[in-house]
Amino acid sequence: MASFYPLAWVTEQVAGDEWSVENLTQPGQEPHDLDLSIAQTAAIEEADLVVLEEGFQPAVDDTAATAEAPVLDAAAVVELRPADEHADEHADEHADEHEEGHEGETAEEHAAHEDEEHAEEEHAEEGHDHGDLDPHFWLDPLLVADFAEAVADELGEVDPDGAQTYADNAEQLRTDLEALDREYTEGLATCERTTTVVSHEAFGYLARYGLDFEAIAGLSPDAEPTAADLAHLQELITEEGVTTVFSERLVSPKMAETLADDLGVETAVLDPIEGLSDDTADEDYLSLMRANLTALQQANGCS
């Protein structure tokens, strides 16, 4: 049992045809929103191996913790990057504005503004339940290769007779992923712009290719941006000449479309590859990553 698409895809590639790999998150379902059915809970308890990322889907973590099957936690075998620090920077800027903006207010006016700001802060914090680390490691092909090797090791523990096959499959997958990494490195080497506005903080692992990602929402796609966040993005888009605001497939594009419409820029899809949808049912991780590369090249004027 694998908890969501990228983990299931890697496990399938490494395990081969002798294993049945089931994805707990259904196509079109946002993985952050997963609640397990009784049947899924039973399936976890009966599995030979459970593959998850601790902290990403708490319902899976809770069930797997009591299952007898071995559990492979992706967060324990790959090096996760720190979560984006832009939110903290914006909070500091907002604090400065707060001090300046409240000079000369009456007590009632000050209290009203305090209530508004507390509400904004609560919205900003919603969905930030991943701690200080960014869970979206699968957007870095080389980290996916590391994860594949961990899957091979774990499968080899469960099925020692197939250990060499799993190791070979992981090595072949690493070859494919290293080729993808080279495509990104070369494809984003020369761009007119590097600032990239996305719907939520899922793309930080792509920053090592030279791009700077600014998110409308936080680590969770349904976190709400504050008025200060939106004002910052509007200023940034104008100053940096950003041509495109990216939305996603599995969540509403409304925030991205509204921001783009207000500034007269385009929208396009950048897939965080957290799951498949009706539009991507025939795709896989590699093809979706290549589609993302094309979208980034077009938005940022890369040659």
Side-chain angles (χ1 to χ4, degrees), residues 267-295:
T267 58
V269 171
L270 197 65
D271 199 328
I273 319 184
E274 295 178 351
L276 299 180
S277 66
D278 290 341
D279 293 336
T280 59
D282 296 329
E283 304 285 346
D284 68 2
Y285 170 83
L286 293 173
S287 65
L288 290 171
M289 282 292 285
R290 291 189 170 102
N292 278 350
L293 174 57
T294 299

Side-chain angles (χ1 to χ4, degrees), residues 4-5 10 32 41 44 50 58 68 77 82 90 102 116 136 175 184 194 202 212 277 289:
F4 61 105
Y5 175 72
V10 172
H32 293 83
T41 300
I44 290 175
V50 180
E68 295 184 4
V77 296
H90 299 167
H102 290 334
E116 290 175 2
H136 305 87
T175 299
Y184 264 79
T194 58
D212 179 24
S277 66
M289 282 292 285

Side-chain angles (χ1 to χ4, degrees), residues 138-142 176-191 203 205-211 213 270-273 285-297 302-303:
W138 56 89
L139 290 168
D140 182 334
L142 299 185
D176 296 339
L177 292 165
E178 288 177 347
L180 177 64
D181 174 63
R182 289 193 296 273
E183 290 176 37
Y184 264 79
T185 299
E186 295 168 5
L188 298 174
T190 307
C191 300
F203 301 95
Y205 286 89
L206 296 179
R208 70 181 184 81
Y209 298 110
L211 299 182
F213 290 90
L270 197 65
D271 199 328
I273 319 184
Y285 170 83
L286 293 173
S287 65
L288 290 171
M289 282 292 285
R290 291 189 170 102
N292 278 350
L293 174 57
T294 299
L296 289 169
Q297 289 174 313
C302 306
S303 57

Side-chain angles (χ1 to χ4, degrees), residues 63-110:
T63 302
T66 61
E68 295 184 4
V71 175
L72 175 60
D73 173 18
V77 296
V78 298
E79 186 175 350
L80 299 180
R81 71 186 290 274
D84 198 331
E85 297 177 353
H86 286 310
D88 294 334
E89 294 170 3
H90 299 167
D92 292 339
E93 293 171 4
H94 185 55
D96 293 339
E97 294 168 1
H98 162 82
E99 293 300 328
E100 295 172 3
H102 290 334
E103 293 179 3
E105 285 184 340
T106 67
E108 289 182 356
E109 290 171 338
H110 183 77

Side-chain angles (χ1 to χ4, degrees), residues 209-284:
Y209 298 110
L211 299 182
D212 179 24
F213 290 90
E214 294 278 348
I216 299 173
L219 286 173
S220 176
D222 47 6
E224 292 286 341
T226 68
D229 292 333
L230 293 175
H232 167 76
L233 288 171
Q234 290 173 336
E235 182 179 357
L236 187 74
I237 289 169
T238 301
E239 289 181 352
E240 299 293 330
V242 172
T243 65
T244 306
V245 175
F246 285 106
S247 63
E248 301 174 17
R249 287 190 175 90
L250 298 181
V251 296
S252 171
K254 183 178 179 181
M255 286 192 298
E257 290 175 349
T258 300
L259 180 61
D261 288 345
D262 287 347
L263 296 173
V265 299
E266 298 180 357
T267 58
V269 171
L270 197 65
D271 199 328
I273 319 184
E274 295 178 351
L276 299 180
S277 66
D278 290 341
D279 293 336
T280 59
D282 296 329
E283 304 285 346
D284 68 2

